[in-house]
Amino acid sequence: MKPTILILGAGTGGIVTAKILSNKIGHKASILLFEKEENYVFTPSLLWLMVGKRKPEQIYRQTRKISGKGIEVIIGEIEKVNPQQISVTANGKNYKGDYMLISLGVEQICEHHLNDYGFDFYTLGGAMKFSVELKNIMGGKIALLVTSLPFKCPAAPYEAAMLVENYFRKKGLSSKVEISLFTPEPGPMGVAGSELSGRVRQMIESKGILYFPEHQLESADKKTLTFSNGKTTEFDLLAFTPKHQCPAVIKETTLVGKSGWIEVNRHTMETDFLNVYSIGDITSIPLEMGKPLPKAGVFAHYQANTVAHNIIRRIQGKKPDKTFDGYGQCFLEMGDRKAAYAGGNFYATPLPSVKMKPPGYIWHWTKVWFEKYWFFKNF
Ligand SMILES: Cc1cc2nc3c(=O)[nH]c(=O)nc-3n(C[C@H](O)[C@H](O)[C@H](O)COP(=O)(O)OP(=O)(O)OC[C@H]3O[C@@H](n4cnc5c(N)ncnc54)[C@H](O)[C@@H]3O)c2cc1C
């Protein structure tokens, strides 16, 4: 009998896992990939979409195209997950597996009716509409807003602010706009350490972007944001991140720990249930410094490498021997076809050991190359 592997979610983690399994044991296993969305969106490109550097159709592909030996893509909402039984219900049908990987990411919620006043740039629709509005605006107050913590890709709002600044500068409108970034964080990318955080702050402020840390949104209306520290601001154009929470279908299971997310062995990504793994944004991995491992695709990707390898070993009757070591990196888009690079070991103790390399064209083009490579390899 072929083993059945249930992969929940065809995002970064699910795709990488499914593809490795398919390439290595696709002829000997049944890989069921469950996903509710008809289209997969490559999220890093949403930032380019916001400022007109991509068209929507360039940054998404049909989920069904994640084909490969042994992979069956099942489109539909997962309604129930039973880790004890290693089973899933989708489209009213129950599927039983031998192994299960949960990579369902985060559920994104729009609070304070923000969709009525601005654009959620963490979605294809929101980033697209923002880019249309951007073209029409000749001046005024542009607000970028992180509504709540945690949010995925700690660099994304900073990149968005820098790309928007670059957009107006190129149009000769810098003196006509005021760009502000509001966030509940004490500083940018805090997990990476105070030195790196300070450098990112300096990077955005040197571009004239006004930075307002420790600003937790309390309410909003058509023109105004009000924060819990009593401050208010007016805006003409607003881009915001949604609230992130554990997907409802998982929240009701015993997989979820005190953090409100799935808690796993941070090296093997195993849950408390035998042959059930979880990776990526849906997990919470505490670090010694007191903050969790950031939610980012790069970690989902490397964790997927570990899990896929170890599932194959188990199927072959061998001992799992690969671990996720906490390494990760990101490219911070800055405009002018330049990006900075930050990377290192997030599991280092007592503090993550993350270094930043000076901005350059190379990091921007590496990010562009990865976008092309990702679509070529997986779709
Ligand atoms: C604007 C932006 C820019 C980013 N840039 C970067 C970057 O440069 N580098 C980086 O490392 N990360 C980046 N990220 C973060 C990255 O996208 C995520 O961290 C990564 O996708 C997490 O992978 P995942 O597999 O955990 O979850 P996801 O990729 O979110 O996949 C989860 C999947 O599960 C599906 N799903 C959820 N619930 C159900 C259900 N009930 N039934 C069926 N399917 C379901 C979802 O539709 C989704 O496709 C960025 C994110 C954004 C928004």
Side-chain angles (χ1 to χ4, degrees), residues 9-14 34-37 43-44 46-47 76-78 103-105 121-122 152-153 156 249 279-281 295-298 300 367:
T12 310
F34 296 86
E35 172 57 51
K36 64 181 163 63
E37 302 293 341
T43 53
L46 287 171
L47 304 175
E77 182 94 25
I78 295 170
S103 47
L104 289 173
F121 71 99
Y122 270 37
K152 56 184 162 181
C153 192
V249 69
I279 58 174
D281 292 353
K295 297 190 186 302
V298 64
K367 194 161 180 162

PDB file of all heavy atoms in Angstrom, residues 9-14 34-37 43-44 46-47 76-78 103-105 121-122 152-153 156 249 279-281 295-298 300 367, ligand 1:
ATOM      1  N   GLY A   9      -2.828  23.173   3.086  1.00  0.00           N
ATOM      2  CA  GLY A   9      -2.424  24.518   2.701  1.00  0.00           C
ATOM      3  C   GLY A   9      -1.389  24.490   1.595  1.00  0.00           C
ATOM      4  O   GLY A   9      -0.316  23.923   1.761  1.00  0.00           O
ATOM      5  N   ALA A  10      -1.737  25.115   0.453  1.00  0.00           N
ATOM      6  CA  ALA A  10      -0.776  25.204  -0.670  1.00  0.00           C
ATOM      7  C   ALA A  10      -0.209  26.613  -0.726  1.00  0.00           C
ATOM      8  O   ALA A  10      -0.325  27.315  -1.732  1.00  0.00           O
ATOM      9  CB  ALA A  10      -1.449  24.819  -1.974  1.00  0.00           C
ATOM     10  N   GLY A  11       0.401  27.010   0.386  1.00  0.00           N
ATOM     11  CA  GLY A  11       1.169  28.257   0.409  1.00  0.00           C
ATOM     12  C   GLY A  11       2.640  27.883   0.341  1.00  0.00           C
ATOM     13  O   GLY A  11       3.002  26.809  -0.166  1.00  0.00           O
ATOM     14  N   THR A  12       3.494  28.742   0.881  1.00  0.00           N
ATOM     15  CA  THR A  12       4.935  28.493   0.788  1.00  0.00           C
ATOM     16  C   THR A  12       5.312  27.111   1.322  1.00  0.00           C
ATOM     17  O   THR A  12       5.952  26.308   0.626  1.00  0.00           O
ATOM     18  CB  THR A  12       5.705  29.565   1.596  1.00  0.00           C
ATOM     19  OG1 THR A  12       5.234  30.839   1.214  1.00  0.00           O
ATOM     20  CG2 THR A  12       7.199  29.461   1.358  1.00  0.00           C
ATOM     21  N   GLY A  13       4.936  26.830   2.573  1.00  0.00           N
ATOM     22  CA  GLY A  13       5.349  25.582   3.216  1.00  0.00           C
ATOM     23  C   GLY A  13       4.770  24.360   2.532  1.00  0.00           C
ATOM     24  O   GLY A  13       5.467  23.364   2.297  1.00  0.00           O
ATOM     25  N   GLY A  14       3.478  24.434   2.198  1.00  0.00           N
ATOM     26  CA  GLY A  14       2.803  23.290   1.586  1.00  0.00           C
ATOM     27  C   GLY A  14       3.367  22.980   0.202  1.00  0.00           C
ATOM     28  O   GLY A  14       3.578  21.813  -0.148  1.00  0.00           O
ATOM     29  N   PHE A  34      -4.279  20.112   0.047  1.00  0.00           N
ATOM     30  CA  PHE A  34      -5.578  20.771   0.238  1.00  0.00           C
ATOM     31  C   PHE A  34      -5.410  22.294   0.238  1.00  0.00           C
ATOM     32  O   PHE A  34      -4.562  22.825   0.954  1.00  0.00           O
ATOM     33  CB  PHE A  34      -6.187  20.350   1.586  1.00  0.00           C
ATOM     34  CG  PHE A  34      -6.495  18.894   1.670  1.00  0.00           C
ATOM     35  CD1 PHE A  34      -5.512  17.978   2.058  1.00  0.00           C
ATOM     36  CD2 PHE A  34      -7.753  18.419   1.347  1.00  0.00           C
ATOM     37  CE1 PHE A  34      -5.791  16.626   2.135  1.00  0.00           C
ATOM     38  CE2 PHE A  34      -8.039  17.056   1.412  1.00  0.00           C
ATOM     39  CZ  PHE A  34      -7.058  16.151   1.807  1.00  0.00           C
ATOM     40  N   GLU A  35      -6.240  22.976  -0.502  1.00  0.00           N
ATOM     41  CA  GLU A  35      -6.134  24.443  -0.563  1.00  0.00           C
ATOM     42  C   GLU A  35      -7.493  25.043  -0.903  1.00  0.00           C
ATOM     43  O   GLU A  35      -8.179  24.545  -1.783  1.00  0.00           O
ATOM     44  CB  GLU A  35      -5.087  24.839  -1.622  1.00  0.00           C
ATOM     45  CG  GLU A  35      -4.999  26.315  -1.921  1.00  0.00           C
ATOM     46  CD  GLU A  35      -4.712  27.188  -0.697  1.00  0.00           C
ATOM     47  OE1 GLU A  35      -3.761  26.919   0.051  1.00  0.00           O
ATOM     48  OE2 GLU A  35      -5.470  28.158  -0.487  1.00  0.00           O
ATOM     49  N   LYS A  36      -7.848  26.136  -0.209  1.00  0.00           N
ATOM     50  CA  LYS A  36      -9.157  26.736  -0.470  1.00  0.00           C
ATOM     51  C   LYS A  36      -9.142  27.728  -1.634  1.00  0.00           C
ATOM     52  O   LYS A  36     -10.171  27.992  -2.233  1.00  0.00           O
ATOM     53  CB  LYS A  36      -9.711  27.400   0.777  1.00  0.00           C
ATOM     54  CG  LYS A  36      -8.928  28.584   1.327  1.00  0.00           C
ATOM     55  CD  LYS A  36      -9.638  29.088   2.596  1.00  0.00           C
ATOM     56  CE  LYS A  36      -8.767  29.966   3.460  1.00  0.00           C
ATOM     57  NZ  LYS A  36      -8.317  31.214   2.894  1.00  0.00           N
ATOM     58  N   GLU A  37      -7.972  28.288  -1.958  1.00  0.00           N
ATOM     59  CA  GLU A  37      -7.912  29.322  -2.997  1.00  0.00           C
ATOM     60  C   GLU A  37      -7.617  28.714  -4.369  1.00  0.00           C
ATOM     61  O   GLU A  37      -6.702  27.905  -4.512  1.00  0.00           O
ATOM     62  CB  GLU A  37      -6.816  30.348  -2.677  1.00  0.00           C
ATOM     63  CG  GLU A  37      -6.973  31.057  -1.350  1.00  0.00           C
ATOM     64  CD  GLU A  37      -8.181  31.982  -1.306  1.00  0.00           C
ATOM     65  OE1 GLU A  37      -8.698  32.365  -2.377  1.00  0.00           O
ATOM     66  OE2 GLU A  37      -8.619  32.293  -0.179  1.00  0.00           O
ATOM     67  N   THR A  43       3.444  36.339  -2.456  1.00  0.00           N
ATOM     68  CA  THR A  43       3.236  37.539  -1.622  1.00  0.00           C
ATOM     69  C   THR A  43       4.345  38.595  -1.708  1.00  0.00           C
ATOM     70  O   THR A  43       4.031  39.782  -1.683  1.00  0.00           O
ATOM     71  CB  THR A  43       3.013  37.149  -0.154  1.00  0.00           C
ATOM     72  OG1 THR A  43       4.095  36.310   0.256  1.00  0.00           O
ATOM     73  CG2 THR A  43       1.677  36.486   0.060  1.00  0.00           C
ATOM     74  N   PRO A  44       5.633  38.232  -1.817  1.00  0.00           N
ATOM     75  CA  PRO A  44       6.629  39.313  -1.876  1.00  0.00           C
ATOM     76  C   PRO A  44       6.366  40.288  -3.020  1.00  0.00           C
ATOM     77  O   PRO A  44       6.686  41.471  -2.916  1.00  0.00           O
ATOM     78  CB  PRO A  44       7.955  38.555  -2.066  1.00  0.00           C
ATOM     79  CG  PRO A  44       7.716  37.221  -1.440  1.00  0.00           C
ATOM     80  CD  PRO A  44       6.274  36.911  -1.752  1.00  0.00           C
ATOM     81  N   LEU A  46       3.557  41.447  -3.955  1.00  0.00           N
ATOM     82  CA  LEU A  46       2.460  42.390  -3.679  1.00  0.00           C
ATOM     83  C   LEU A  46       3.014  43.803  -3.507  1.00  0.00           C
ATOM     84  O   LEU A  46       2.367  44.789  -3.832  1.00  0.00           O
ATOM     85  CB  LEU A  46       1.721  41.977  -2.392  1.00  0.00           C
ATOM     86  CG  LEU A  46       0.832  40.735  -2.480  1.00  0.00           C
ATOM     87  CD1 LEU A  46       0.338  40.330  -1.092  1.00  0.00           C
ATOM     88  CD2 LEU A  46      -0.362  40.999  -3.404  1.00  0.00           C
ATOM     89  N   LEU A  47       4.236  43.887  -2.985  1.00  0.00           N
ATOM     90  CA  LEU A  47       4.836  45.205  -2.733  1.00  0.00           C
ATOM     91  C   LEU A  47       5.162  45.908  -4.052  1.00  0.00           C
ATOM     92  O   LEU A  47       4.990  47.114  -4.176  1.00  0.00           O
ATOM     93  CB  LEU A  47       6.097  45.053  -1.873  1.00  0.00           C
ATOM     94  CG  LEU A  47       5.877  44.319  -0.544  1.00  0.00           C
ATOM     95  CD1 LEU A  47       7.195  44.112   0.177  1.00  0.00           C
ATOM     96  CD2 LEU A  47       4.909  45.083   0.350  1.00  0.00           C
ATOM     97  N   GLY A  76     -10.800  23.422  -1.992  1.00  0.00           N
ATOM     98  CA  GLY A  76     -11.973  23.524  -1.128  1.00  0.00           C
ATOM     99  C   GLY A  76     -11.542  23.850   0.282  1.00  0.00           C
ATOM    100  O   GLY A  76     -10.393  23.638   0.650  1.00  0.00           O
ATOM    101  N   GLU A  77     -12.475  24.362   1.034  1.00  0.00           N
ATOM    102  CA  GLU A  77     -12.205  24.748   2.424  1.00  0.00           C
ATOM    103  C   GLU A  77     -12.020  23.491   3.288  1.00  0.00           C
ATOM    104  O   GLU A  77     -12.822  22.568   3.221  1.00  0.00           O
ATOM    105  CB  GLU A  77     -13.417  25.550   2.914  1.00  0.00           C
ATOM    106  CG  GLU A  77     -13.315  26.076   4.306  1.00  0.00           C
ATOM    107  CD  GLU A  77     -12.774  27.515   4.351  1.00  0.00           C
ATOM    108  OE1 GLU A  77     -12.920  28.242   3.363  1.00  0.00           O
ATOM    109  OE2 GLU A  77     -12.201  27.854   5.404  1.00  0.00           O
ATOM    110  N   ILE A  78     -10.965  23.444   4.058  1.00  0.00           N
ATOM    111  CA  ILE A  78     -10.809  22.358   5.036  1.00  0.00           C
ATOM    112  C   ILE A  78     -11.772  22.667   6.179  1.00  0.00           C
ATOM    113  O   ILE A  78     -11.713  23.745   6.783  1.00  0.00           O
ATOM    114  CB  ILE A  78      -9.355  22.277   5.553  1.00  0.00           C
ATOM    115  CG1 ILE A  78      -8.413  21.901   4.407  1.00  0.00           C
ATOM    116  CG2 ILE A  78      -9.245  21.280   6.702  1.00  0.00           C
ATOM    117  CD1 ILE A  78      -6.945  22.023   4.751  1.00  0.00           C
ATOM    118  N   SER A 103       0.154  23.419   7.225  1.00  0.00           N
ATOM    119  CA  SER A 103       0.829  24.674   6.856  1.00  0.00           C
ATOM    120  C   SER A 103      -0.242  25.637   6.348  1.00  0.00           C
ATOM    121  O   SER A 103      -0.214  26.057   5.193  1.00  0.00           O
ATOM    122  CB  SER A 103       1.912  24.422   5.803  1.00  0.00           C
ATOM    123  OG  SER A 103       1.415  23.605   4.763  1.00  0.00           O
ATOM    124  N   LEU A 104      -1.168  25.944   7.263  1.00  0.00           N
ATOM    125  CA  LEU A 104      -2.341  26.739   6.871  1.00  0.00           C
ATOM    126  C   LEU A 104      -2.138  28.238   7.051  1.00  0.00           C
ATOM    127  O   LEU A 104      -3.084  29.028   6.856  1.00  0.00           O
ATOM    128  CB  LEU A 104      -3.575  26.270   7.659  1.00  0.00           C
ATOM    129  CG  LEU A 104      -4.119  24.893   7.257  1.00  0.00           C
ATOM    130  CD1 LEU A 104      -5.224  24.437   8.203  1.00  0.00           C
ATOM    131  CD2 LEU A 104      -4.634  24.913   5.818  1.00  0.00           C
ATOM    132  N   GLY A 105      -0.948  28.652   7.463  1.00  0.00           N
ATOM    133  CA  GLY A 105      -0.673  30.089   7.538  1.00  0.00           C
ATOM    134  C   GLY A 105      -1.515  30.802   8.578  1.00  0.00           C
ATOM    135  O   GLY A 105      -1.895  30.218   9.598  1.00  0.00           O
ATOM    136  N   PHE A 121      -2.887  45.833   1.970  1.00  0.00           N
ATOM    137  CA  PHE A 121      -1.877  45.480   0.961  1.00  0.00           C
ATOM    138  C   PHE A 121      -1.322  44.079   1.158  1.00  0.00           C
ATOM    139  O   PHE A 121      -0.446  43.650   0.405  1.00  0.00           O
ATOM    140  CB  PHE A 121      -0.756  46.534   0.884  1.00  0.00           C
ATOM    141  CG  PHE A 121       0.187  46.595   2.055  1.00  0.00           C
ATOM    142  CD1 PHE A 121       1.430  45.978   2.002  1.00  0.00           C
ATOM    143  CD2 PHE A 121      -0.149  47.279   3.202  1.00  0.00           C
ATOM    144  CE1 PHE A 121       2.325  46.042   3.067  1.00  0.00           C
ATOM    145  CE2 PHE A 121       0.734  47.352   4.285  1.00  0.00           C
ATOM    146  CZ  PHE A 121       1.973  46.729   4.220  1.00  0.00           C
ATOM    147  N   TYR A 122      -1.871  43.331   2.134  1.00  0.00           N
ATOM    148  CA  TYR A 122      -1.495  41.925   2.303  1.00  0.00           C
ATOM    149  C   TYR A 122      -2.393  41.005   1.464  1.00  0.00           C
ATOM    150  O   TYR A 122      -2.310  39.784   1.568  1.00  0.00           O
ATOM    151  CB  TYR A 122      -1.542  41.540   3.777  1.00  0.00           C
ATOM    152  CG  TYR A 122      -0.206  41.764   4.493  1.00  0.00           C
ATOM    153  CD1 TYR A 122       0.599  42.851   4.188  1.00  0.00           C
ATOM    154  CD2 TYR A 122       0.256  40.861   5.450  1.00  0.00           C
ATOM    155  CE1 TYR A 122       1.812  43.041   4.824  1.00  0.00           C
ATOM    156  CE2 TYR A 122       1.473  41.044   6.091  1.00  0.00           C
ATOM    157  CZ  TYR A 122       2.248  42.145   5.764  1.00  0.00           C
ATOM    158  OH  TYR A 122       3.464  42.324   6.396  1.00  0.00           O
ATOM    159  N   LYS A 152       2.991  38.907   9.444  1.00  0.00           N
ATOM    160  CA  LYS A 152       4.009  38.148   8.708  1.00  0.00           C
ATOM    161  C   LYS A 152       4.912  39.072   7.912  1.00  0.00           C
ATOM    162  O   LYS A 152       4.503  40.153   7.503  1.00  0.00           O
ATOM    163  CB  LYS A 152       3.368  37.093   7.811  1.00  0.00           C
ATOM    164  CG  LYS A 152       2.356  37.598   6.826  1.00  0.00           C
ATOM    165  CD  LYS A 152       1.748  36.404   6.083  1.00  0.00           C
ATOM    166  CE  LYS A 152       0.451  36.730   5.405  1.00  0.00           C
ATOM    167  NZ  LYS A 152      -0.139  35.600   4.725  1.00  0.00           N
ATOM    168  N   CYS A 153       6.112  38.588   7.710  1.00  0.00           N
ATOM    169  CA  CYS A 153       7.166  39.347   7.027  1.00  0.00           C
ATOM    170  C   CYS A 153       7.416  40.692   7.714  1.00  0.00           C
ATOM    171  O   CYS A 153       6.903  41.738   7.275  1.00  0.00           O
ATOM    172  CB  CYS A 153       6.854  39.562   5.552  1.00  0.00           C
ATOM    173  SG  CYS A 153       8.331  40.185   4.710  1.00  0.00           S
ATOM    174  N   ALA A 156       8.011  43.768   5.539  1.00  0.00           N
ATOM    175  CA  ALA A 156       7.115  44.200   4.450  1.00  0.00           C
ATOM    176  C   ALA A 156       6.590  45.640   4.581  1.00  0.00           C
ATOM    177  O   ALA A 156       6.648  46.394   3.606  1.00  0.00           O
ATOM    178  CB  ALA A 156       5.968  43.211   4.292  1.00  0.00           C
ATOM    179  N   VAL A 249     -10.232  26.620  11.813  1.00  0.00           N
ATOM    180  CA  VAL A 249     -10.316  25.159  11.744  1.00  0.00           C
ATOM    181  C   VAL A 249      -9.258  24.492  12.651  1.00  0.00           C
ATOM    182  O   VAL A 249      -9.449  23.365  13.122  1.00  0.00           O
ATOM    183  CB  VAL A 249     -10.202  24.676  10.271  1.00  0.00           C
ATOM    184  CG1 VAL A 249      -8.812  24.888   9.702  1.00  0.00           C
ATOM    185  CG2 VAL A 249     -10.600  23.224  10.117  1.00  0.00           C
ATOM    186  N   ILE A 279       4.312  23.632  10.145  1.00  0.00           N
ATOM    187  CA  ILE A 279       5.393  24.565   9.794  1.00  0.00           C
ATOM    188  C   ILE A 279       4.809  25.936   9.440  1.00  0.00           C
ATOM    189  O   ILE A 279       3.610  26.072   9.214  1.00  0.00           O
ATOM    190  CB  ILE A 279       6.216  24.057   8.577  1.00  0.00           C
ATOM    191  CG1 ILE A 279       5.316  23.858   7.344  1.00  0.00           C
ATOM    192  CG2 ILE A 279       6.967  22.781   8.919  1.00  0.00           C
ATOM    193  CD1 ILE A 279       6.100  23.491   6.080  1.00  0.00           C
ATOM    194  N   GLY A 280       5.686  26.900   9.392  1.00  0.00           N
ATOM    195  CA  GLY A 280       5.331  28.214   8.857  1.00  0.00           C
ATOM    196  C   GLY A 280       4.568  29.099   9.819  1.00  0.00           C
ATOM    197  O   GLY A 280       4.663  28.969  11.045  1.00  0.00           O
ATOM    198  N   ASP A 281       3.767  29.985   9.235  1.00  0.00           N
ATOM    199  CA  ASP A 281       3.128  31.056  10.007  1.00  0.00           C
ATOM    200  C   ASP A 281       2.145  30.562  11.062  1.00  0.00           C
ATOM    201  O   ASP A 281       1.859  31.280  12.023  1.00  0.00           O
ATOM    202  CB  ASP A 281       2.362  31.987   9.044  1.00  0.00           C
ATOM    203  CG  ASP A 281       3.288  32.784   8.146  1.00  0.00           C
ATOM    204  OD1 ASP A 281       4.520  32.720   8.342  1.00  0.00           O
ATOM    205  OD2 ASP A 281       2.776  33.480   7.243  1.00  0.00           O
ATOM    206  N   LYS A 295       7.189  35.378  11.553  1.00  0.00           N
ATOM    207  CA  LYS A 295       6.425  34.646  10.543  1.00  0.00           C
ATOM    208  C   LYS A 295       6.945  35.104   9.187  1.00  0.00           C
ATOM    209  O   LYS A 295       6.785  36.270   8.822  1.00  0.00           O
ATOM    210  CB  LYS A 295       4.935  34.957  10.682  1.00  0.00           C
ATOM    211  CG  LYS A 295       4.369  34.492  12.028  1.00  0.00           C
ATOM    212  CD  LYS A 295       2.861  34.565  12.069  1.00  0.00           C
ATOM    213  CE  LYS A 295       2.335  34.234  13.463  1.00  0.00           C
ATOM    214  NZ  LYS A 295       2.718  32.919  13.986  1.00  0.00           N
ATOM    215  N   ALA A 296       7.587  34.202   8.476  1.00  0.00           N
ATOM    216  CA  ALA A 296       8.153  34.576   7.166  1.00  0.00           C
ATOM    217  C   ALA A 296       8.256  33.342   6.287  1.00  0.00           C
ATOM    218  O   ALA A 296       8.481  32.222   6.766  1.00  0.00           O
ATOM    219  CB  ALA A 296       9.532  35.204   7.342  1.00  0.00           C
ATOM    220  N   GLY A 297       8.111  33.565   4.991  1.00  0.00           N
ATOM    221  CA  GLY A 297       8.149  32.480   4.026  1.00  0.00           C
ATOM    222  C   GLY A 297       9.459  31.713   4.057  1.00  0.00           C
ATOM    223  O   GLY A 297       9.483  30.495   3.844  1.00  0.00           O
ATOM    224  N   VAL A 298      10.534  32.423   4.323  1.00  0.00           N
ATOM    225  CA  VAL A 298      11.840  31.761   4.312  1.00  0.00           C
ATOM    226  C   VAL A 298      11.901  30.653   5.373  1.00  0.00           C
ATOM    227  O   VAL A 298      12.466  29.582   5.139  1.00  0.00           O
ATOM    228  CB  VAL A 298      12.976  32.809   4.494  1.00  0.00           C
ATOM    229  CG1 VAL A 298      12.917  33.498   5.844  1.00  0.00           C
ATOM    230  CG2 VAL A 298      14.332  32.171   4.301  1.00  0.00           C
ATOM    231  N   ALA A 300       9.189  29.051   6.609  1.00  0.00           N
ATOM    232  CA  ALA A 300       8.273  27.996   6.147  1.00  0.00           C
ATOM    233  C   ALA A 300       8.986  27.102   5.131  1.00  0.00           C
ATOM    234  O   ALA A 300       8.849  25.875   5.145  1.00  0.00           O
ATOM    235  CB  ALA A 300       7.027  28.622   5.535  1.00  0.00           C
ATOM    236  N   LYS A 367      16.158  39.027  -5.434  1.00  0.00           N
ATOM    237  CA  LYS A 367      14.737  38.880  -5.093  1.00  0.00           C
ATOM    238  C   LYS A 367      13.893  38.693  -6.358  1.00  0.00           C
ATOM    239  O   LYS A 367      12.984  37.862  -6.402  1.00  0.00           O
ATOM    240  CB  LYS A 367      14.279  40.114  -4.302  1.00  0.00           C
ATOM    241  CG  LYS A 367      12.951  39.953  -3.607  1.00  0.00           C
ATOM    242  CD  LYS A 367      12.755  40.973  -2.492  1.00  0.00           C
ATOM    243  CE  LYS A 367      11.407  40.762  -1.828  1.00  0.00           C
ATOM    244  NZ  LYS A 367      11.288  41.367  -0.535  1.00  0.00           N
TER     245      LYS A 367
HETATM  246  C1  LIG B   1       3.207  41.674   1.339  1.00  0.00           C
HETATM  247  C2  LIG B   1       3.987  40.468   1.827  1.00  0.00           C
HETATM  248  C3  LIG B   1       5.314  40.341   1.516  1.00  0.00           C
HETATM  249  C4  LIG B   1       6.052  39.248   1.987  1.00  0.00           C
HETATM  250  N1  LIG B   1       7.366  39.141   1.659  1.00  0.00           N
HETATM  251  C5  LIG B   1       8.088  38.109   2.144  1.00  0.00           C
HETATM  252  C6  LIG B   1       9.472  37.993   1.831  1.00  0.00           C
HETATM  253  O1  LIG B   1      10.030  38.787   1.079  1.00  0.00           O
HETATM  254  N2  LIG B   1      10.149  36.960   2.384  1.00  0.00           N
HETATM  255  C7  LIG B   1       9.548  36.061   3.230  1.00  0.00           C
HETATM  256  O2  LIG B   1      10.232  35.150   3.718  1.00  0.00           O
HETATM  257  N3  LIG B   1       8.231  36.137   3.522  1.00  0.00           N
HETATM  258  C8  LIG B   1       7.499  37.129   3.001  1.00  0.00           C
HETATM  259  N4  LIG B   1       6.161  37.210   3.292  1.00  0.00           N
HETATM  260  C9  LIG B   1       5.554  36.248   4.239  1.00  0.00           C
HETATM  261  C10 LIG B   1       5.179  34.940   3.561  1.00  0.00           C
HETATM  262  O3  LIG B   1       4.220  35.158   2.560  1.00  0.00           O
HETATM  263  C11 LIG B   1       4.589  33.982   4.615  1.00  0.00           C
HETATM  264  O4  LIG B   1       5.341  34.006   5.771  1.00  0.00           O
HETATM  265  C12 LIG B   1       4.547  32.577   4.048  1.00  0.00           C
HETATM  266  O5  LIG B   1       3.697  32.536   2.928  1.00  0.00           O
HETATM  267  C13 LIG B   1       4.100  31.577   5.096  1.00  0.00           C
HETATM  268  O6  LIG B   1       3.964  30.319   4.518  1.00  0.00           O
HETATM  269  P1  LIG B   1       2.905  29.271   5.103  1.00  0.00           P
HETATM  270  O7  LIG B   1       3.031  28.051   4.276  1.00  0.00           O
HETATM  271  O8  LIG B   1       3.072  29.182   6.567  1.00  0.00           O
HETATM  272  O9  LIG B   1       1.494  29.968   4.885  1.00  0.00           O
HETATM  273  P2  LIG B   1       0.841  30.500   3.547  1.00  0.00           P
HETATM  274  O10 LIG B   1       1.832  30.699   2.478  1.00  0.00           O
HETATM  275  O11 LIG B   1       0.003  31.681   3.942  1.00  0.00           O
HETATM  276  O12 LIG B   1      -0.125  29.320   3.093  1.00  0.00           O
HETATM  277  C14 LIG B   1      -1.246  28.927   3.822  1.00  0.00           C
HETATM  278  C15 LIG B   1      -2.273  28.396   2.847  1.00  0.00           C
HETATM  279  O13 LIG B   1      -3.310  27.704   3.554  1.00  0.00           O
HETATM  280  C16 LIG B   1      -4.538  27.998   2.929  1.00  0.00           C
HETATM  281  N5  LIG B   1      -5.640  27.788   3.881  1.00  0.00           N
HETATM  282  C17 LIG B   1      -5.820  28.415   5.073  1.00  0.00           C
HETATM  283  N6  LIG B   1      -6.914  27.929   5.685  1.00  0.00           N
HETATM  284  C18 LIG B   1      -7.446  26.998   4.872  1.00  0.00           C
HETATM  285  C19 LIG B   1      -8.585  26.150   4.958  1.00  0.00           C
HETATM  286  N7  LIG B   1      -9.424  26.154   5.999  1.00  0.00           N
HETATM  287  N8  LIG B   1      -8.817  25.284   3.936  1.00  0.00           N
HETATM  288  C20 LIG B   1      -7.967  25.220   2.855  1.00  0.00           C
HETATM  289  N9  LIG B   1      -6.891  26.019   2.726  1.00  0.00           N
HETATM  290  C21 LIG B   1      -6.632  26.894   3.721  1.00  0.00           C
HETATM  291  C22 LIG B   1      -4.394  29.456   2.521  1.00  0.00           C
HETATM  292  O14 LIG B   1      -5.297  29.818   1.515  1.00  0.00           O
HETATM  293  C23 LIG B   1      -2.942  29.514   2.063  1.00  0.00           C
HETATM  294  O15 LIG B   1      -2.792  29.295   0.692  1.00  0.00           O
HETATM  295  C24 LIG B   1       5.400  38.275   2.795  1.00  0.00           C
HETATM  296  C25 LIG B   1       4.042  38.397   3.084  1.00  0.00           C
HETATM  297  C26 LIG B   1       3.325  39.482   2.599  1.00  0.00           C
HETATM  298  C27 LIG B   1       1.854  39.590   2.914  1.00  0.00           C
END
